[in-house]
Amino acid sequence: GIRPGLAPKVYNFYLKSGAVLLGRRTTVIANSTPTGGFCTAAGFRNVEVVPLGTFAKPTVSSAQVATPKYVLYVGRLAVRKGLGWFVREVLPLLPNDITVKVAGSTWDSSELQAIESNPRVSFLGPVYGDELANLRLGAIAVIMPNITLAGRDFEGFGLTAIEASAVGAVLIASAVDGIVDAVRDGETGFLIAEGNPQKWADKIAEVNSWSPAERLAFVQKAQQVTRDYYSWSRVAEDCVRIYQQV
């Protein structure tokens, strides 16, 4: 209920009314700590957080580790997801041979205009399956450069994050909203302060400087952590535990 417009206001009223009517009898399962915070703010008293999961993927081999020269953005082209900001503020700080590939769909036309006007950015449209997995593996990093916009919606969890680490990609994401629950900083990816171009550029340069062995070691570890924690079996076990408590 934080988006502008009538529909979000109606939904927010509905949510708060439900909290009043149901009171202590209801337990809400939220997919991230920030989402749980919104539930609490709406008036729900019993809130449990269960981060989402993804399916396990085959472990990356040394033969799959290439020498990438692009960063990859996956998702909708929405202002709050920060791709336009990244292209304007971070890309100029990177070497000219590093480009950006974008796999997703248009949500805000201003974002599409920002990337179409830059020759270092390639818009691929929606990409799925093995093609998307190969794009993730071939990138210096998969980026989630989200920015906070007052009065607008937020990232409830960030499924793209665990999908990237599961397949064996290096993830770099903004430390905002539910993304903080979708990334184990330094293990499944890296969390960077939002809106700080130099820190983003420095982390991309660091990852780009890794040897094939260093990259392989990181992504295999990230896959293992993702497989262990961000699994649907763990999600199911957590939900069952909450149901039993209730």
Side-chain angles (χ1 to χ4, degrees), residues 109-130:
S109 58
S110 61
E111 287 291 281
L112 183 60
Q113 292 170 1
I115 66 174
E116 285 185 332
S117 62
N118 194 309
R120 294 172 64 185
V121 183
S122 301
F123 180 51
L124 308 176
V127 181
Y128 306 101
D130 291 342

Side-chain angles (χ1 to χ4, degrees), residues 57 72 74-76 102-106 124-136 163 167:
K57 301 296 188 297
L72 177 68
V74 180
R76 292 180 291 117
V102 180
S105 56
T106 303
L124 308 176
V127 181
Y128 306 101
D130 291 342
E131 184 180 0
L132 179 56
N134 289 333
L135 276 172
R136 282 169 164 153
E163 290 175 342
V167 80

Side-chain angles (χ1 to χ4, degrees), residues 43-188:
F44 288 98
R45 300 179 183 182
N46 304 314
V47 180
E48 297 278 353
V49 174
V50 178
L52 298 179
T54 188
F55 295 104
K57 301 296 188 297
T59 301
V60 172
S61 68
S62 58
Q64 293 174 287
V65 176
T67 304
K69 280 299 178 185
Y70 65 90
V71 295
L72 177 68
Y73 172 90
V74 180
R76 292 180 291 117
L77 301 183
V79 174
R80 70 171 178 82
K81 289 183 177 287
L83 178 61
W85 170 83
F86 181 91
V87 170
R88 291 188 299 269
E89 303 293 334
V90 181
L91 189 56
L93 302 178
L94 300 174
N96 290 331
D97 61 343
I98 293 180
T99 60
V100 179
K101 292 186 178 183
V102 180
S105 56
T106 303
W107 191 264
D108 292 322
S109 58
S110 61
E111 287 291 281
L112 183 60
Q113 292 170 1
I115 66 174
E116 285 185 332
S117 62
N118 194 309
R120 294 172 64 185
V121 183
S122 301
F123 180 51
L124 308 176
V127 181
Y128 306 101
D130 291 342
E131 184 180 0
L132 179 56
N134 289 333
L135 276 172
R136 282 169 164 153
L137 279 174
I140 297 170
V142 175
I143 57 169
M144 296 180 69
N146 290 51
I147 54 178
T148 301
L149 299 176
R152 298 289 291 272
D153 62 340
F154 78 123
E155 196 77 52
F157 178 70
L159 198 58
T160 296
I162 60 175
E163 290 175 342
S165 57
V167 80
V170 178
L171 175 76
I172 303 177
S174 294
V176 298
D177 302 334
I179 296 175
V180 298
D181 284 352
V183 180
R184 294 289 186 92
D185 191 25
E187 293 185 291
T188 65

Side-chain angles (χ1 to χ4, degrees), residues 201-221:
D202 289 346
K203 180 54 70 173
I204 291 171
E206 176 190 332
V207 172
N208 193 40
S209 71
W210 287 351
S211 68
E214 289 174 316
R215 185 179 182 88
L216 181 64
F218 180 85
V219 298
Q220 286 185 339
K221 174 69 176 194

Side-chain angles (χ1 to χ4, degrees), residues 3 14 17 51 72 85 93 106 158 175 198 223 236:
R3 297 183 184 183
Y14 164 79
S17 298
L72 177 68
W85 170 83
L93 302 178
T106 303
Q198 193 59 58
Q223 282 187 293

